[in-house]
Amino acid sequence: MQTFIENIPKAELHVHLEGTLEPELSFALAKKNHIELAYDSPEALVAAYDFHDLPSFLTIYYAGMSVLVDEADFYQLTYAYLSKARSQEIIYAELFFDPQAHTTRGVDFETVITGIHKAQLAAEQNLGIKSQLIMCFLRDMSAESAKQHLEMAQPYLDWIIGVGLDSDERNNPPIKFADVFAKAKSMGLKLTMHCDVNQLNTQTHIEQCINTIEVDRIDHGINSLESEELCELIKDKKLGLTVCPVSNRFVVQSLTSNEIHKMLKKEMLVTINSDDPAYFRAYLNENLFELQKEGQFSEAQITTMVGNAFKVAWLDDETKKGYLQQLENYTRQYQ
Ligand code: ADE
Ligand code: ZN
């Protein structure tokens, strides 16, 4: 099973680039940029990763970004993730980034997106991993700020496939961003939003995502299982759910393997992802290993989840077909 998981060609649809910042790179960038870190070594930094819920994780996640300053830093961050991903047989990735977490520190939007974009091009050429970029808005900032950042993105629309919504969900419902998401949609961008696990008013948030915002996908979305009506809506609209088991274990103390089984049984389009792999110390393969170990998922079920990721990716049908064929060629050896 381990070899099967390691070698299966995969897609990752829910990974925050800033959440791929490894402690070693953080130290190297701090030194280069003359930034003093509060820890003596990468090991000491990891030892301080003390999170138990979403807010306690986000505090550490935003603090970590202070070492990202110039274009080369964003290039290095992105290239390092894409190299790691390729080594795990990820052949396609959709990458989140959080521009507001950088512009609020005085780093220009252009610096961030140019560094990321150049690394995506280089990784596609050198490593054969294709990727697309999703710009996230921080939901604990204002809708006005989100609107301003969508404006900043105007000259770079060819580099962005969609917009997302992340950060602290408490008291920040999807409808707060209805106007800016409507604008993004009118600009031809795809839409997704985090519906993190066990959040206050989670069912209302999921319902708003689907019926008001009309998202193309939902990030996490585990709590949809509490409502037959929401499950039916998600199935009717063929919405993909990007679930992140190890991340869930950190923020809600559960890998959610039972919930993932339920989604598979209902034929919901569940996919497995790493979220913030450098912080949760698990990339996509490790997420699949842990999940399989706890939930005893079969090779066929793993294949279904990997296939779902290609199916709900924001790609044209021809490209999806090519990836799904690659997946089928792989699984055929095991039959
Ligand atoms: N930003 C980075 N990771 C996140 C997560 N899991 N939930 C919400 N916002 C995030
Ligand atoms: Zn996330």
Side-chain angles (χ1 to χ4, degrees):
M1 180 56 91
Q2 176 153 342
T3 314
F4 178 81
I5 288 173
E6 277 169 356
N7 294 331
I8 192 169
K10 318 164 183 76
E12 175 149 68
L13 306 179
H14 183 159
V15 58
H16 301 262
L17 276 175
E18 296 89 345
T20 70
L21 178 60
E22 286 289 337
E24 290 75 16
L25 180 57
S26 183
F27 266 72
L29 294 178
K31 191 169 171 202
K32 171 186 149 274
N33 293 325
H34 311 289
I35 291 165
E36 199 149 334
L37 293 178
Y39 304 95
D40 291 340
S41 64
E43 294 73 25
L45 179 62
V46 173
Y49 286 172
D50 174 25
F51 20 80
H52 48 274
D53 57 13
L54 186 56
S56 61
F57 163 70
L58 290 169
T59 302
I60 291 170
Y61 168 79
Y62 292 122
M65 295 178 201
S66 65
V67 299
L68 297 164
V69 178
D70 61 25
E71 187 186 303
D73 302 344
F74 287 93
Y75 181 100
Q76 211 177 337
L77 174 75
T78 306
Y79 201 87
Y81 163 73
L82 290 169
S83 305
K84 176 72 182 180
R86 189 67 191 88
S87 78
Q88 295 203 340
E89 290 303 332
I90 294 174
I91 53 177
Y92 174 69
E94 291 179 8
L95 313 169
F96 291 134
F97 77 120
D98 286 332
Q100 288 156 298
H102 310 300
T103 55
T104 49
R105 300 183 290 115
V107 179
D108 287 345
F109 186 90
E110 181 185 7
T111 302
V112 178
I113 197 165
T114 307
I116 294 172
H117 181 70
K118 285 182 181 171
Q120 288 181 267
L121 291 181
E124 183 158 357
Q125 207 160 53
N126 303 339
L127 311 172
I129 176 169
K130 180 180 167 65
S131 62
Q132 300 197 90
L133 196 55
I134 302 172
M135 178 169 96
C136 281
F137 304 115
L138 302 186
R139 67 198 307 158
D140 43 1
M141 291 187 70
S142 67
E144 187 51 39
S145 171
K147 219 173 269 174
Q148 286 163 2
H149 283 75
L150 188 59
E151 284 295 317
M152 287 180 208
Q154 284 274 11
Y156 305 100
L157 284 185
D158 287 351
W159 296 358
I160 298 173
I161 186 72
V163 293
L165 187 71
D166 62 2
S167 205
D168 195 355
E169 189 167 331
R170 195 180 169 85
N171 298 326
N172 294 302
I175 47 160
K176 176 177 166 185
F177 297 93
D179 287 351
V180 69
F181 272 70
K183 177 87 198 298
K185 188 174 180 171
S186 76
M187 290 159 64
L189 293 164
K190 295 280 192 181
L191 312 181
T192 187
M193 285 183 164
H194 277 55
C195 290
D196 264 281
V197 190
N198 298 352
Q199 293 290 308
L200 187 67
N201 302 324
T202 180
Q203 289 194 34
T204 308
H205 290 189
I206 296 170
E207 193 274 331
Q208 288 176 1
C209 264
I210 301 170
N211 289 332
T212 309
I213 310 296
E214 300 188 316
V215 291
D216 298 288
R217 215 156 60 204
I218 297 176
D219 298 311
H220 299 290
I222 288 278
N223 296 84
S224 60
L225 288 168
E226 292 161 10
S227 155
E228 204 46 53
E229 204 179 316
L230 288 177
C231 290
E232 285 307 312
L233 272 174
I234 288 168
K235 280 183 62 172
D236 280 354
K237 294 178 186 291
K238 298 189 170 60
L239 296 178
L241 299 160
T242 63
V243 173
C244 309
V246 176
S247 164
N248 292 341
R249 193 173 60 196
F250 273 100
V251 299
V252 297
Q253 292 72 51
S254 165
L255 272 183
T256 62
S257 59
N258 290 333
E259 288 82 354
I260 292 166
H261 269 299
K262 283 183 195 158
M263 287 177 169
L264 283 172
K265 208 160 168 197
K266 287 177 181 289
E267 297 186 344
M268 294 165 86
L269 294 166
V270 56
T271 70
I272 304 302
N273 305 270
S274 70
D275 208 0
D276 301 286
Y279 289 92
F280 302 136
R281 314 307 294 152
Y283 284 80
L284 182 49
N285 279 354
E286 291 76 34
N287 270 270
L288 289 165
F289 298 152
E290 301 251 347
L291 182 68
Q292 198 281 326
K293 212 163 39 181
E294 181 179 289
Q296 300 295 308
F297 291 85
S298 65
E299 285 176 359
Q301 287 172 317
I302 299 282
T303 304
T304 297
M305 293 189 278
V306 170
N308 285 344
F310 289 117
K311 285 182 188 160
V312 303
W314 291 340
L315 292 166
D316 61 75
D317 288 344
E318 246 346 85
T319 311
K320 283 189 204 189
K321 229 166 89 183
Y323 285 133
L324 287 165
Q325 187 62 55
Q326 244 177 287
L327 179 61
E328 197 185 318
N329 294 345
Y330 175 81
T331 51
R332 203 179 297 128
Q333 313 167 52
Y334 284 85
Q335 282 158 9

